[in-house]
């Protein structure tokens, strides 16, 4: 979703801003723009499409200047075109703004401004905000930070903004509510960005701007932060954990493939210091600090969106099986608006790779208001959700750049599994013997994933024959039903082939009508208590000439014979099978998308970090 970059310092701003926009491309966008102050001019250049289009457009223009802001826009109000792209000028063209978020009351504000003689060039809510800032500045005869503060006091909605003023080449004003913003602090220079990816190569000192805070960034002066309610704040400076090499493809053709192949390592990172085979225990700091809350919880509600919601489903199976606590899994967007029953002895687990998903953040706030204890499972360190939860557990897989989530998913499942086993052990709903067996098996998972990854060329070859499909069905049962959902989502997201995930036995209540020899059916049939049942479901498809691609446990001959293609995964405990069975599905989606010539890392219309509801 929209990306913000800003720079003020002694270097030329343009190359830093363009590079920053490229770093933010992974978030998803459809137009880009830049504003620079040079020789007392405030120049704005914008283009529809990729950042490279913007570079092409700006090539012949004056791009000098040591202060600037830049933006990638993911359209909300108004189609993706040059006019609607950011930055937006104010009426006098003396102020320019970039914005991530939605100004919900923009229509009312616009009407008021039109009565005051303001005219509008775009269909965006953002242009209303910059006009309002100018109006506030003129009518109150105030400086830019005060005008921004006055304007934001009238705004309903979410925003991360950065504002430039023509006559003030030493100042950027930035602010946020609901949408993320981070400031990088260098030697006599500042960087502004939606996340730390554009900043990491210049400095590892950052400060995350808090809710409803406005920051005045002056050349060669300390940052000044205050709330829109006028309370002064001291910047809290943190050290970034991210490294530059994590943001590059490392020889892989796409970030998605790199991230799929990283999974043995990322799961080791996720379990490091937590799953201790030598001392036969699992340690999760977020659990230890809140042990009684977990042991006394009457219910656990897990809230998430997209792939994280699929991980939540697997977590539900594990927590109910091992900890015997009832679990409900909620789409954050539904949960926040349906007046849910939340009690003080409920635990709400919020799962989010980015830690910025607007609906999940809102679900966290709602649960907090009801007095529930909130536990976050997030990847991006320092992002909004972990900062707004009572406790939690980072997944520690490093930056995930491919829009289609892969390594974050397996780590979310791993954290949930560790949590389920740990609660079960402490509640004594899981025997010591089982506990030890699961610890051992968990520690073997990264190596077993490496084995599955060796099937990459087999899957690449096989994927060629499935690119003809316009529909696919994914089937699974038990722990592998959410994997079927996730496999279908991966395919939809990056190859644009319509795909549905179904619990295998549910198929005969509808989807079976779709089965023909043109419909690939991907069946997850690894060894489990329901293995025989899945075979029956596969027979039902076979009888209707459906083409089966199966994911089976090593050595399985029965399902293999029923399948057109079969991919083996190593044997493991049933609760851990999703960590293996999802790998071929990630690779299958990837290779189908590549063969179809799709933009794997930045699929159309999708955003990596969904910061609007
Ligand atoms: C977007 C992404 C998905 C992701 C979902 C939830 O739709 O494209 O890959 O699963 O948001 O994101 P989160 O960061 O909260 O896990």
């Amino acid at each position: 979703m929209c990306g913000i970059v800003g720079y003020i310092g002694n270097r030329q701003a343009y190359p830093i801003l363009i590079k920053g926009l490229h770093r933010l491309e992974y978030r998803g966008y459809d137009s880009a723009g830049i504003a620079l102050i040079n020789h007392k001019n405030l120049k704005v250049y914008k283009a529809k499409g990729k950042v490279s289009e913007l570079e092409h457009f700006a090539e012949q223009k004056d791009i000098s200047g040591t202060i600037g802001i830049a933006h990638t826009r993911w359209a909300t109000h108004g189609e993706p075109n040059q006019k609607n792209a950011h930055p937006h000028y104010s009426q006098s063209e003396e102020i320019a703004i970039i914005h991530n978020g939605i100004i919900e009351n923009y229509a009312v504000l616009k009407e008021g401004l039109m009565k005051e003689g303001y005219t509008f060039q775009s269909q965006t809510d953002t242009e209303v905000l910059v006009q309002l800032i100018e109006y506030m500045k003129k009518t109150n005869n105030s400086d830019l930070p005060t005008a921004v503060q006055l304007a934001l006091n009238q705004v309903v909605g979410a925003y991360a903004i950065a504002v430039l003023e023509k006559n003030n080449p030493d100042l950027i004003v930035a602010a946020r509510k609901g949408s993320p913003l981070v400031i990088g602090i260098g030697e006599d220079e500042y960087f502004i960005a939606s996340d730390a990816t554009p900043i990491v190569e210049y400095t590892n000192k950052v400060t995350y701007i808090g809710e409803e805070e406005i920051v005045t960034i002056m050349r060669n002066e300390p940052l000044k932060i205050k709330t829109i309610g006028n309370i002064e704040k001291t910047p809290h400076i943190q050290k970034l954990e991210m490294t530059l090499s994590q943001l590059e493809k490392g020889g892989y053709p796409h970030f998605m493939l790199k991230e799929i192949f990283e999974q043995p390592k990322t799961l080791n990172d996720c379990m490091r210091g937590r799953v201790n085979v030598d001392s036969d225990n699992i340690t999760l700091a977020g659990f230890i600090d809140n042990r009684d809350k977990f042991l006394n919880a009457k219910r656990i509600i897990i809230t998430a969106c997209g792939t994280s919601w699929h991980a939540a489903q697997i977590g539900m199976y594990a927590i109910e099986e091992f900890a015997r606590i009832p679990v409900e899994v909620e789409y954050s967007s539904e949960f926040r608006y349906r007046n849910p029953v939340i009690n003080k002895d409920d635990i709400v687990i919020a799962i989010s790779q980015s830690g910025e998903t607007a609906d999940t953040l809102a679900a966290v706030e709602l649960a907090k208001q009801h007095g529930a204890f909130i536990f976050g499972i997030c990847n991006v360190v320092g992002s909004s959700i972990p900062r707004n939860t009572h406790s939690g557990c980072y997944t520690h897989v490093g930056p995930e750049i491919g829009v289609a989530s892969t390594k974050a998913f397996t780590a979310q499942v791993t954290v949930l599994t560790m949590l389920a086993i740990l609660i079960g052990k402490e509640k004594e709903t899981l025997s010591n013997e089982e506990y030890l067996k699961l610890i051992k098996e968990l520690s073997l998972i990264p190596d077993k994933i490496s084995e599955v990854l060796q099937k990459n060329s087999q899957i690449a070859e096989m994927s060629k024959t499935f690119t003809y499909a316009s529909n696919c069905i994914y089937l699974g049962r038990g722990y592998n039903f959410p994997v079927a959902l996730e496999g279908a989502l991966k395919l939809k997201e990056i190859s644009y082939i319509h795909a549905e995930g179904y619990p295998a036995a549910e198929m005969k209540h509808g989807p079976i009508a779709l089965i023909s020899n043109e419909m690939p059916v991907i069946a997850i049939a690894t060894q489990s208590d329901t293995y025989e049942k899945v075979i029956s479901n596969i027979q039902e498809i076979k009888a209707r000439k459906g083409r089966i691609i199966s994911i089976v446990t090593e050595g399985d001959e029965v399902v293999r014979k029923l399948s057109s293609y079969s991919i083996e995964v190593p044997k493991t405990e049933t609760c851990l099978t999703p960590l293996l069975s999802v790998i071929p599905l990630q690779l299958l989606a990837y290779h189908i998308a590549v063969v179809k010539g799709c933009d794997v890392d930045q699929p159309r219309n999708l955003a990596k970090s969904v910061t609007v509801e």
Side-chain angles (χ1 to χ4, degrees):
M1 207 142 269
C2 303
I4 283 180
V5 198
Y7 176 77
I8 181 167
N10 299 322
R11 310 187 219 197
Q12 284 299 304
Y14 180 81
I16 294 172
L17 295 172
I18 290 290
K19 199 167 193 188
L21 290 184
H22 280 300
R23 291 257 187 252
L24 291 178
E25 282 189 300
Y26 80 98
R27 295 167 69 90
Y29 71 103
D30 33 50
S31 57
I34 196 163
L36 298 157
I37 304 180
N38 51 33
H39 318 118
K40 298 227 159 144
N41 281 318
L42 173 57
K43 302 265 192 210
V44 168
Y45 308 126
K46 344 196 243 192
K48 184 181 168 190
K50 296 281 179 189
V51 175
S52 50
E53 310 281 333
L54 172 66
E55 287 177 86
H56 185 65
F57 178 76
E59 237 164 39
Q60 310 299 331
K61 311 269 191 305
D62 180 2
I63 49 165
S64 61
T66 55
I67 175 171
I69 54 178
H71 190 262
T72 47
R73 172 175 186 253
W74 189 86
T76 57
H77 295 64
E79 64 175 280
N81 59 26
Q82 193 184 26
K83 269 206 168 128
N84 290 332
H86 301 204
H88 288 285
Y89 275 129
S90 62
Q91 183 104 325
S92 66
E93 299 198 352
E94 289 193 355
I95 301 174
I97 195 171
I98 52 176
H99 167 221
N100 172 10
I102 292 180
I103 308 299
E104 288 171 15
N105 60 338
Y106 83 102
V108 182
L109 295 172
K110 188 170 181 175
E111 213 182 292
L113 286 163
M114 284 169 86
K115 281 190 190 136
E116 297 293 332
Y118 281 80
T119 54
F120 292 82
Q121 311 298 320
S122 76
Q123 298 153 295
T124 64
D125 51 337
T126 304
E127 194 186 3
V128 176
L129 181 54
V130 70
Q131 305 279 40
L132 184 63
I133 292 169
E134 177 161 296
Y135 175 75
M136 288 299 175
K137 192 164 184 298
K138 288 199 168 139
T139 50
N140 295 283
N141 199 18
S142 64
D143 61 7
L144 186 66
T146 311
V148 169
Q149 185 182 4
L150 291 168
L152 292 180
N153 270 297
Q154 302 221 356
V155 157
V156 177
Y159 51 79
I161 55 167
V163 189
L164 284 186
E165 186 181 27
K166 182 177 162 185
N167 298 326
N168 213 336
D170 296 324
L171 170 73
I172 303 176
V173 181
R176 76 159 283 231
K177 181 186 177 191
S179 299
L181 205 59
V182 53
I183 313 281
I185 302 155
E187 291 290 321
D188 303 325
E189 58 186 354
Y190 291 108
F191 306 84
I192 305 165
S194 298
D195 63 46
T197 51
I199 294 177
V200 64
E201 63 191 281
Y202 306 107
T203 177
N204 64 1
K205 280 191 343 197
V206 293
T207 181
Y208 293 92
I209 305 305
E211 276 296 278
E212 303 201 342
E213 285 178 4
I214 303 170
V215 52
T216 301
I217 307 161
M218 289 282 292
R219 202 186 288 277
N220 300 327
E221 282 192 25
L223 295 175
K224 279 192 207 127
I225 303 182
K226 64 177 172 182
T227 66
I228 65 167
N230 218 23
I231 301 165
E232 288 195 8
K233 296 270 176 157
T234 313
H236 171 58
I237 295 166
Q238 285 172 255
K239 194 167 169 249
L240 267 186
E241 285 181 15
M242 199 182 278
T243 63
L244 193 54
S245 65
Q246 289 175 321
L247 303 178
E248 292 177 342
K249 287 185 199 149
Y252 286 91
H254 297 99
F255 279 109
M256 183 179 176
L257 191 63
K258 176 187 174 223
E259 287 158 7
I260 293 172
F261 270 82
E262 272 175 352
Q263 287 173 107
K265 178 186 177 297
T266 52
L267 288 199
N268 270 322
D269 291 345
C270 175
M271 289 192 272
R272 182 163 303 118
R274 293 168 169 172
V275 175
N276 310 303
V277 185
D278 297 341
S279 49
D280 286 343
N281 70 3
I282 291 181
T283 322
L284 285 180
F287 172 83
I288 297 168
D289 299 343
N290 303 285
R291 185 177 176 277
D292 290 346
K293 288 208 168 62
F294 277 100
L295 299 195
N296 298 325
K298 296 269 181 302
R299 182 175 63 147
I300 292 179
I301 301 167
I302 315 182
T303 183
C305 304
T307 287
S308 300
W309 187 88
H310 296 154
Q313 290 276 343
I314 297 170
M316 173 179 78
Y317 282 86
I319 295 171
E320 293 203 338
E321 179 175 358
F322 302 125
R324 307 306 295 154
I325 302 172
V327 180
E328 287 165 25
V329 176
E330 300 269 1
Y331 286 113
S332 304
S333 53
E334 288 299 310
F335 182 66
R336 62 181 289 196
Y337 284 119
R338 69 168 182 76
N339 194 11
V341 178
I342 310 170
N343 299 312
K344 289 202 168 41
D345 46 13
D346 286 338
I347 291 181
V348 173
I349 300 180
I351 309 180
S352 173
Q353 186 285 128
S354 61
E356 298 293 351
T357 301
D359 282 321
T360 306
L361 191 55
V364 163
E365 290 304 333
L366 177 78
K368 252 195 197 165
Q369 282 160 23
H370 284 75
F373 171 73
I374 325 284
F375 188 87
I377 299 178
C378 297
N379 188 40
V380 179
V381 176
S383 53
S384 299
I385 294 172
R387 284 189 283 131
N388 281 285
T389 47
H390 297 116
S391 179
C393 186
Y394 281 116
T395 46
H396 288 312
V397 300
E400 190 180 63
I401 307 291
V403 163
S405 184
T406 52
K407 62 177 181 175
F409 172 78
T410 43
Q412 289 163 347
V413 172
T414 303
V415 168
L416 286 159
T417 308
M418 291 191 283
L419 190 63
I421 298 171
L422 191 50
I423 308 173
K425 166 73 177 21
E426 295 288 312
K427 278 189 76 181
E428 297 182 5
T429 46
L430 177 70
S431 72
N432 198 43
E433 195 190 345
E434 277 291 302
Y435 175 71
L436 296 179
K437 191 163 82 183
L438 288 169
I439 291 178
K440 174 107 196 308
E441 266 307 309
L442 250 182
S443 71
L444 299 175
I445 289 292
D447 285 347
K448 292 187 177 181
I449 292 180
S450 297
E451 282 179 49
V452 183
L453 289 170
Q454 285 170 17
K455 314 249 153 71
N456 183 41
S457 28
Q458 179 200 341
I459 296 169
E461 202 45 45
M462 186 183 104
S463 66
K464 291 182 192 153
T465 55
F466 287 94
T467 46
Y468 72 88
S470 47
N471 294 290
C472 278
I473 290 184
Y474 285 69
L475 300 178
R477 291 188 81 145
Y479 281 94
N480 281 298
F481 160 50
V483 178
L485 297 176
E486 176 60 8
L489 180 66
K490 289 289 86 87
L491 190 69
K492 269 186 276 213
E493 283 179 313
I494 58 169
S495 76
Y496 316 138
I497 295 173
H498 174 246
E500 291 300 330
Y502 254 87
E506 233 349 79
M507 193 198 55
K508 52 187 160 309
H509 300 291
I512 200 162
L514 301 171
I515 304 290
S516 73
N517 61 0
E518 284 175 11
M519 169 75 93
V521 179
I522 293 98
I524 307 164
T526 46
Q527 292 291 341
S528 72
D529 293 349
T530 49
Y531 171 70
E532 303 292 340
K533 310 269 179 209
V534 177
I535 294 181
S536 308
N537 302 139
I538 290 175
Q539 297 278 18
E540 290 156 10
I541 300 160
K542 250 338 244 183
R544 287 154 186 88
K545 302 200 167 19
R547 299 182 67 194
I548 311 277
I549 305 146
S550 57
I551 314 295
V552 297
T553 307
E554 252 161 23
D556 185 318
E557 281 301 306
V558 182
V559 178
R560 199 179 59 77
K561 284 192 185 133
L562 294 170
S563 313
S564 304
Y565 295 95
S566 195
I567 304 156
E568 291 189 339
V569 297
K571 191 168 172 36
T572 186
E573 291 296 314
T574 303
C575 68
L576 303 179
T577 52
L579 294 169
L580 303 181
S581 58
V582 77
I583 308 291
L585 304 189
Q586 294 171 345
L587 286 169
L588 187 66
Y590 170 79
H591 287 296
I592 292 176
V594 169
V595 176
K596 288 190 73 185
C598 301
D599 188 346
V600 174
D601 284 334
Q602 290 158 39
R604 69 181 180 212
N605 302 340
L606 294 182
K608 180 72 185 160
S609 178
V610 181
T611 50
V612 298
E613 62 172 292

